[in-house]
Amino acid sequence: MHLIALGFICSPIESTLYVRKDGTDLIVFVLYVDDILLTGSCDAKVDMFIADLQCSFDVTHLGLLNYYLGIQFVSVVGGTIMHQAKYIEKLLQRFGFEDCKPISTPVDVGFRFSIEDANDVFDTSLYQQAVGCLIYACNTRPDTQYVVSQLSRFMHSPGTRHWQVVKRVFRYLKGTLRLGLFYSRDAQPCMRAFIDSDWAGCYDTRVSTSGNCFFLGESCISWLSKKQIYA
């Protein structure tokens, strides 16, 4: 309610995102539990807002953004790089893959995922934990979105073959630890979208899988790989 009283509007799409327009100036405020991300087009107005927050709440100003919810932000010439190297390193240690041999691709070309591969019994809890963590890693890794989306279809009935693919994804992440996304400060306000789907790609249901990615200028800002609802 404090943000609303200050003129912020909550995004109808993302409940953690608040935006305030003041003439030509803009302040963007993101709140997730007790982690705050704040930016704006006018430094003076951002500083005034921070001072207001500190008067009303116990808030610590940590300076320029470098780490938020497991995502690292690195300022470089011309823009910012987002990656999750620290998060991925913790995953490799957690699941015992810190010494695994890196591999150049997350999955074999033409690999078919099927429920038939779940005939043998595998640790469902371990599988769910690993795939759940890989889903979060997709926040900066669109290159793993497809295979992780496929693996998530077998959360309640994984087999050893599915786990072999999970291990391959970890091996791929080990070899591409600092791969991430670059966002240019001088990005052109031009939106491009690339959309495609396979043809009855699901071996079990014959349902297709759709994929898309959206670019603002040269920077990828949204991506998806999802099984279609209908065959």
Side-chain angles (χ1 to χ4, degrees):
M1 292 301 294
H2 184 77
L3 293 173
I4 302 301
L6 291 176
F8 282 84
I9 298 175
C10 182
S11 168
I13 300 173
E14 175 55 63
S15 61
T16 64
L17 173 64
Y18 294 81
V19 178
R20 187 178 77 183
K21 292 183 178 180
D22 187 4
T24 58
D25 295 322
L26 186 72
I27 296 180
V28 178
F29 181 94
V30 179
L31 174 63
Y32 185 81
V33 189
D34 59 352
D35 291 312
I36 295 174
L37 178 60
L38 178 66
T39 188
S41 57
C42 176
D43 291 342
K45 290 185 178 180
V46 170
D47 291 339
M48 288 176 60
F49 176 63
I50 292 174
D52 179 270
L53 282 179
Q54 291 175 330
C55 289
S56 304
F57 304 97
D58 184 12
V59 177
T60 302
H61 184 15
L62 299 178
L64 293 177
L65 176 66
N66 58 72
Y67 192 79
Y68 187 74
L69 301 180
I71 300 175
Q72 293 166 256
F73 298 81
V74 182
S75 295
V76 295
V77 176
T80 300
I81 295 174
M82 289 173 50
H83 66 83
Q84 291 172 275
K86 288 183 179 179
Y87 175 75
I88 294 171
E89 285 179 335
K90 290 180 180 179
L91 294 187
L92 292 170
Q93 295 173 2
R94 174 179 174 181
F95 295 102
F97 297 122
E98 62 268 32
D99 296 322
C100 67
K101 183 178 179 180
I103 200 166
S104 60
T105 58
V107 67
D108 285 327
V109 175
F111 184 90
R112 282 186 173 272
F113 295 82
S114 172
I115 194 67
E116 294 180 1
D117 297 324
N119 291 329
D120 55 340
V121 179
F122 189 77
D123 188 336
T124 302
S125 177
L126 175 62
Y127 184 88
Q128 291 175 346
Q129 292 176 49
V131 174
C133 291
L134 290 175
I135 289 174
Y136 191 74
C138 289
N139 280 324
T140 59
R141 299 298 298 264
D143 52 330
T144 63
Q145 181 71 65
Y146 171 76
V147 62
V148 173
S149 174
Q150 293 282 330
L151 291 170
S152 67
R153 300 177 186 179
F154 307 97
M155 286 292 214
H156 301 292
S157 57
T160 302
R161 193 161 183 254
H162 298 129
W163 181 247
Q164 293 298 323
V165 180
V166 171
K167 292 198 293 185
R168 183 186 177 104
V169 176
F170 276 114
R171 292 176 60 193
Y172 172 71
L173 291 175
K174 173 69 178 297
T176 57
L177 200 60
R178 297 191 179 278
L179 193 63
L181 300 169
F182 174 72
Y183 293 97
S184 173
R185 293 190 181 94
D186 303 317
Q188 298 298 317
C190 175
M191 182 77 75
R192 295 179 298 154
F194 300 87
I195 302 172
D196 200 1
S197 64
D198 60 14
W199 183 259
C202 179
Y203 184 79
D204 302 306
T205 64
R206 311 312 298 172
V207 174
S208 301
T209 296
S210 296
N212 64 60
C213 58
F214 290 80
F215 286 78
L216 182 62
E218 298 298 321
S219 302
C220 188
I221 61 172
S222 178
W223 53 92
L224 177 70
S225 177
K226 186 177 181 180
K227 186 177 180 181
Q228 294 181 3
I229 299 175
Y230 305 107

